[in-house]
Amino acid sequence: KAGVTQTPRYLIKTRGQQVTLSCSPISGHRSVSWYQQTPGQGLQFLFEYFSETQRNKGNFPGRFSGRQFSNSRSEMNVSTLELGDSALYLCASSQTSVAWEQFFGPGTRLTVL
Amino acid sequence: DAKTTQPNSMESNEEEPVHLPCNHSTISGTDYIHWYRQLPSQGPEYVIHGLTSNVNNRMASLAIAEDRKSSTLILHRATLRDAAVYYCILKGNAGGTSYGKLTFGQGTILTVHP
């Protein structure tokens, strides 16, 4: 069974631009969670989607948004990029929102110049 | 979310057992104890989880104190591949604010010496 895939793996943007990251979950998984990882703040939860509905949200500004499609693939969007948005963005999939195991992708490394 | 406390770093020699401690004195009765680890340049991976009883799987064992205020992840024979950051996470199952959310602390950096 294929694992969680994320595209692109690396991305360089400039301040003020927007970016869209993509996540394809493991086949059959309907829950996708997104996390931001930085050296200073560690791993922080952004939001979770299940069956195309956002069911949980972390403490991030409205510039961070996401969506999920009917095939469970998910995208996250960051608008008006700031230098502090430079981070590794990880997505994780699981069978349900309350499943005990999440499977993480390799992440997208975003650099904002 | 209830807080966990782990040592910043630990060291071990290859093929020796490793005991990684975690304190969670404010754990609630419905919180499960999860362990994940993150190998260099990879996303985190699930290791083990438990509620009250000790648990074993092919990767590790989880020993949970009787009062559930602490737990220990046990790697029975450390290998170089076990060098990673290990995260102890409390996760409720009540839905709502726990949906799809893992709250990571700073974790323990495990170094394994050959």
Side-chain angles (χ1 to χ4, degrees), chain B residues 7-102:
Chain B
N8 291 331
S9 63
M10 292 186 65
E11 296 187 18
S12 173
N13 294 318
E14 206 174 4
E15 299 192 3
E16 290 184 354
V18 181
H19 291 234
L20 297 163
C22 181
N23 288 319
H24 29 77
S25 58
T26 60
I27 190 171
S28 76
T30 57
D31 283 341
Y32 283 75
I33 303 159
H34 292 245
W35 284 81
Y36 278 73
R37 70 180 186 181
Q38 188 171 21
L39 303 171
S41 302
Q42 294 187 28
E45 66 174 345
Y46 167 85
V47 177
I48 201 167
H49 81 286
L51 182 62
T52 55
S53 303
N54 294 344
V55 185
N56 300 294
N57 66 20
R58 64 175 179 82
M59 289 181 68
S61 295
L62 176 60
I64 301 172
E66 198 169 331
D67 63 5
R68 300 210 327 126
K69 293 185 176 182
S70 66
S71 60
T72 303
L73 179 70
I74 302 166
L75 307 179
H76 295 287
R77 291 185 63 190
T79 69
L80 296 178
R81 195 196 170 274
D82 291 321
V85 181
Y86 286 79
Y87 297 98
C88 170
I89 299 166
L90 302 182
K91 189 174 187 332
N93 65 346
T97 57
S98 72
Y99 281 150
K101 178 181 179 181
L102 293 171

Side-chain angles (χ1 to χ4, degrees), chain A residues 33-47:
Chain A
S33 298
W34 287 89
Y35 295 84
Q36 181 196 65
Q37 186 171 26
T38 60
Q41 298 298 317
L43 272 153
Q44 293 185 286
F45 173 77
L46 281 156
F47 31 65

